[in-house]
Amino acid sequence: MKLRIFLIALLVFAGAAESSAAPEVHALWAHPPEAGKTVESVRAFVAKCKRAHIDVIVMDVKDSVGGLYWKSKKFPQAIAPGYENFDMLEHLVREAHAVGIRVDAWLVDYLEGANGAAIRAHPEWAQLNPNGETTLSETLGKTRPYPYVWMCPAQRPGYTDQWLIPLYEEIAANYKVDSLHHDYVRYPGDVAPDSYCFCDYCLKNIPRYAMLSYQTRAGERYRVGGAQPLIQANWWSDPTMIPSNWNDLDRREKADFILNGRTIPGGPPDMRYFFYDYRVHQIDRFVRETTERVKKANPKAEVSAAVFKNPIISARFIGQHWDRWNPWIDVYMPMTYRSHFAGSFDAYLEHLTETTQRQLEWIGRGRPLYAGIASTYLFREEYQPYDTMRDRLSEMQALPSSDAKGRAAKAGLIAAAFNEARPRLVQIVPNVAKDLDTLVSSVTANNGSGATAANMDQLAKRLAAFRADIPPGFLPQEKLAASINAARKAKPDGIAIFAAGSLDREKMWEVLEREFKTEAAR
Ligand SMILES: [Zn+2]
C-alpha cells in the first residue's frame, strides 16, 4: 500500500516536472506589407500565424530607410508613406492579443534612408569615414551604390538620444506591445568594417574614452620608460600616446593614427584596439539606455535583439559584443542564417547546431535565446541557376548590340545555367519549364544573335516573376524542416523564422504548421 502511494506520488511528480519545462517558443519576423493596410488583412495575417503555431510576431515598425509604421506623435514626419491614417502597430497588437500571440516591435536601429526624415533634419548625426563621407559613398559589390546612411551611435546630443531612444520610448508608453526588438544594433560591417565612425565627435572622443592623454597639462609629453627591455612591457610608465601635433592633424591623419598608430613608439601597431573598444562601448551604452527608458515607460515590456552569430567576432567588426547584454536584453534572436555560413547545406545543419550551442554557452544561458533561421537562404542550390541567368542577362542587356562576341559569351552562360535548372523544373513544374525554355531559346539561339531588347526584357521579367512567386513544390520543404531540427538539437529556448514574406513567396507556411505543431504536442 505504502509502495503504491509512493509510486503514484512519483508519477505525479514526474508529470509535473515534465510540464514545467518551458515549451519551445516560435517567433516570426514580418514586414508591414504582409499585414496589409486594413483591419481585415491584419486579422488574416494573424490567423495565418496562429495556424503556423507562432507565439511571437516580430513586426518591423521602423524600416531600413527610417519609415515608421505607427502614428508617431514625436516624429510624424517619419511615418512611412501610406501609413498616415492606418496605425498598423495598434491593429496588429489588438488582433494578435485576441488570439494569444505576442507582439515584438522591431526597429532597424542605426539605418536611415538617404532622404529620410532624420538625415534631412540632422545631417550632422551621420557617421563619417576618414574622408568625411557618409556610408552613401560606399558601394555594394563593385558598382551598386550603397543606399543607406548609418547614423553615429556615439554623438550626444545626437541620433541615439534625440531620435532613436525616443522612438522606443514612444512605443513602450503608448502601445501594449509585449516587447521591443533591436536590429542593426551595431556599426556597418558589411560594407566598411573599419571606416566608421570618424565624425568630429568621435575623433575627439575616441582618445578621451581611452584617456590616451591628459586634459590637464595637455602640452607636456612623457617618454616611455626603459625598465623592461621589451619596449611595450613599459606601457604602464605613462608615456603620452597622442602625438604632440594632434590638433594640427586633419580627419584622415587622425583616423590613420587611431587605426594604425602605436600606443608605444617602437611597439606593435595596436592603437586600433581602442577604436574597437570605443565602438563596443557605444553600442553597449545604447542597449542599456534603451532598456532603462523602455522599462521606465512600461515595466512589463521586454527588449529583444537580432544579433550576428558570433559575438566575439562581431565585437571586432561591428561593435556588437552581445554576449555581455544579459542585464539588458530579455531575449536574443541570433541571425544564424545560412547566408552567414560558407559550406554545403549539410555542413550548415551541423554548424547551426554547433553555433547555437556555443551561443547558449556565451550567454551562460542567462537569458532565453531563439535560434534564427532564414528560409530563403536555405535554397542557395535551387536558386543558383536562376540567379546566374538573371545576372548574366542583366550584363547582356548592358552590352551594345554591336558587341556580338560579348553577347555570345553571355548567351552561352545563360543557356548553360538553364540546362542546369531544367531537369528539376521539368519534373516539378513542366509548364514553367516550357515557358522559360521558349524565352531562353529566343535570347540565346545562334550565339545570342536573335536577342532583342524586347525578348531580353521578357525573359528578365519572367525570371523575376518566378523568383517572386515560386511554384508550390519547387523548393524542398524538408530543408526548412531539417534546419529547425538541427537548431533544436542545441536545445535553444525557441526558434525564430525569417521571414513571413519568404514563407509566402516560397510556400513554406505548411512546414511551420507541421514542425511547430509537433513541438506543441510534445
Ligand atoms: Zn561618430
Side-chain angles (χ1 to χ4, degrees):
M1 191 62 180
K2 269 186 181 167
L3 183 68
R4 243 179 94 187
I5 291 169
F6 172 75
L7 283 177
I8 289 168
L10 194 71
L11 284 172
V12 169
F13 177 76
E18 194 157 295
S19 62
S20 72
E24 179 185 282
V25 178
H26 305 133
L28 177 67
W29 278 286
H31 296 86
E34 284 103 61
K37 282 188 205 169
T38 66
V39 175
E40 294 71 31
S41 65
V42 173
R43 192 170 296 159
F45 172 67
V46 167
K48 190 153 67 169
C49 293
K50 189 68 187 171
R51 278 197 300 280
H53 314 285
I54 296 300
D55 305 299
V56 185
I57 296 172
V58 187
M59 176 57 80
D60 187 10
V61 297
K62 173 188 180 269
D63 65 21
S64 51
V65 292
L68 309 181
Y69 296 85
W70 74 93
K71 273 195 189 163
S72 176
K73 292 188 183 72
K74 284 184 185 169
F75 301 99
Q77 71 275 34
I79 295 175
Y83 286 82
E84 297 85 355
N85 299 310
F86 183 74
D87 194 324
M88 193 270 292
L89 185 57
E90 184 193 313
H91 289 286
L92 179 69
V93 169
R94 194 189 54 248
E95 297 299 328
H97 284 180
V99 298
I101 294 180
R102 302 198 293 274
V103 173
D104 197 348
W106 158 22
L107 286 86
V108 172
D109 286 337
Y110 282 110
L111 275 197
E112 282 286 334
N115 198 29
I119 200 76
R120 280 202 312 268
H122 291 281
E124 75 282 8
W125 287 350
Q127 296 190 26
L128 298 182
N129 64 19
N131 296 326
E133 299 161 329
T134 73
T135 48
L136 289 171
S137 65
E138 306 291 340
T139 55
L140 283 167
K142 282 183 190 138
T143 51
R144 269 198 301 154
Y146 188 73
Y148 308 113
V149 191
W150 281 78
M151 308 302 271
C152 177
Q155 286 183 34
R156 298 286 194 286
Y159 185 72
T160 302
D161 63 335
Q162 302 294 309
W163 194 279
L164 196 48
I165 293 178
L167 290 177
Y168 275 87
E169 199 172 32
E170 183 176 56
I171 296 175
N174 299 302
Y175 293 82
K176 294 194 172 83
V177 295
D178 302 273
S179 179
L180 291 105
H181 184 73
H182 287 290
D183 191 14
Y184 287 78
V185 50
R186 58 182 178 91
Y187 280 80
D190 36 3
V191 286
D194 294 330
S195 304
Y196 299 89
C197 177
F198 295 106
C199 73
D200 293 350
Y201 180 94
C202 290
L203 279 182
K204 200 164 159 229
N205 280 278
I206 294 169
R208 188 179 183 280
Y209 165 76
M211 209 175 175
L212 298 177
S213 67
Y214 295 108
Q215 315 269 298
T216 47
R217 297 176 180 248
E220 290 185 19
R221 317 312 293 175
Y222 309 121
R223 287 166 60 166
V224 62
Q228 283 299 113
L230 182 67
I231 189 74
Q232 62 266 37
N234 302 294
W235 62 270
W236 48 269
S237 67
D238 200 22
T240 309
M241 292 185 177
I242 287 293
S244 55
N245 62 342
W246 181 253
N247 291 334
D248 304 327
L249 302 183
D250 65 18
R251 189 187 310 278
R252 224 176 298 209
E253 289 163 332
K254 283 180 178 168
D256 182 53
F257 178 76
I258 288 167
L259 288 173
N260 304 310
R262 295 159 203 274
T263 58
I264 311 294
D270 56 351
M271 186 54 76
R272 64 171 62 201
Y273 170 85
F274 300 108
F275 170 72
Y276 299 140
D277 198 53
Y278 171 85
R279 303 202 315 169
V280 165
H281 171 75
Q282 299 308 332
I283 300 299
D284 282 359
R285 181 182 173 195
F286 162 61
V287 171
R288 172 170 55 79
E289 289 178 355
T290 305
T291 297
E292 286 167 359
R293 296 276 287 277
V294 162
K295 304 262 176 185
K296 204 171 164 191
N298 176 1
K300 281 194 243 161
E302 298 201 324
V303 180
S304 64
V307 291
F308 271 46
K309 73 177 199 227
N310 179 330
I312 313 305
I313 294 178
S314 325
R316 179 259 178 264
F317 286 102
I318 55 177
Q320 192 184 69
H321 215 324
W322 60 266
D323 55 318
R324 303 174 179 180
W325 295 352
N326 286 7
W328 316 305
I329 289 295
D330 296 295
V331 179
Y332 296 101
M333 301 190 203
M335 298 174 282
T336 24
Y337 304 162
R338 192 182 167 201
S339 49
H340 290 236
F341 293 82
S344 64
F345 180 69
D346 288 340
Y348 168 64
L349 294 180
E350 289 185 31
H351 291 164
L352 174 58
T353 309
E354 183 185 340
T355 303
T356 307
Q357 281 164 345
R358 288 303 306 274
Q359 290 168 340
L360 292 164
E361 192 183 314
W362 272 313
I363 58 165
R365 276 214 175 252
R367 293 287 182 172
L369 180 143
Y370 306 165
I373 297 169
S375 167
T376 199
Y377 304 120
L378 302 176
F379 308 110
R380 187 186 288 165
E381 292 76 9
E382 289 75 13
Y383 281 139
Q384 185 55 56
Y386 299 91
D387 293 348
T388 303
M389 281 193 269
R390 177 197 61 201
D391 295 346
R392 297 300 85 78
L393 180 63
S394 148
E395 289 158 9
M396 188 170 173
Q397 286 172 306
L399 291 174
S401 52
S402 56
D403 185 359
K405 209 174 144 198
R407 285 165 68 118
K410 301 296 176 197
L413 293 168
I414 293 166
F418 184 64
N419 278 335
E420 200 190 313
R422 198 197 320 248
R424 186 174 174 84
L425 212 51
V426 169
Q427 194 194 341
I428 299 168
V429 272
N431 57 326
V432 179
K434 209 174 150 195
D435 203 12
L436 270 176
D437 202 354
T438 311
L439 288 170
V440 169
S441 301
S442 75
V443 168
T444 62
N446 304 318
N447 292 323
S449 60
T452 61
N455 64 19
M456 286 194 286
D457 187 49
Q458 238 187 324
L459 177 57
K461 282 193 178 130
R462 188 66 189 84
L463 287 170
F466 178 79
R467 217 38 174 88
D469 188 18
I470 299 287
F474 179 75
L475 295 171
Q477 293 190 336
E478 55 272 22
K479 277 189 157 181
L480 179 53
S483 305
I484 290 169
N485 286 299
R488 273 181 182 152
K489 281 190 192 165
K491 300 192 168 48
D493 303 277
I495 306 280
I497 301 291
F498 185 88
S502 338
L503 299 179
D504 284 336
R505 235 176 1 259
E506 295 166 344
K507 317 296 178 286
M508 292 290 148
W509 283 95
E510 51 197 73
V511 180
L512 304 193
E513 288 168 23
R514 279 197 304 270
E515 286 303 316
F516 288 170
K517 183 180 179 185
T518 319
E519 175 57 32
R522 266 186 207 173

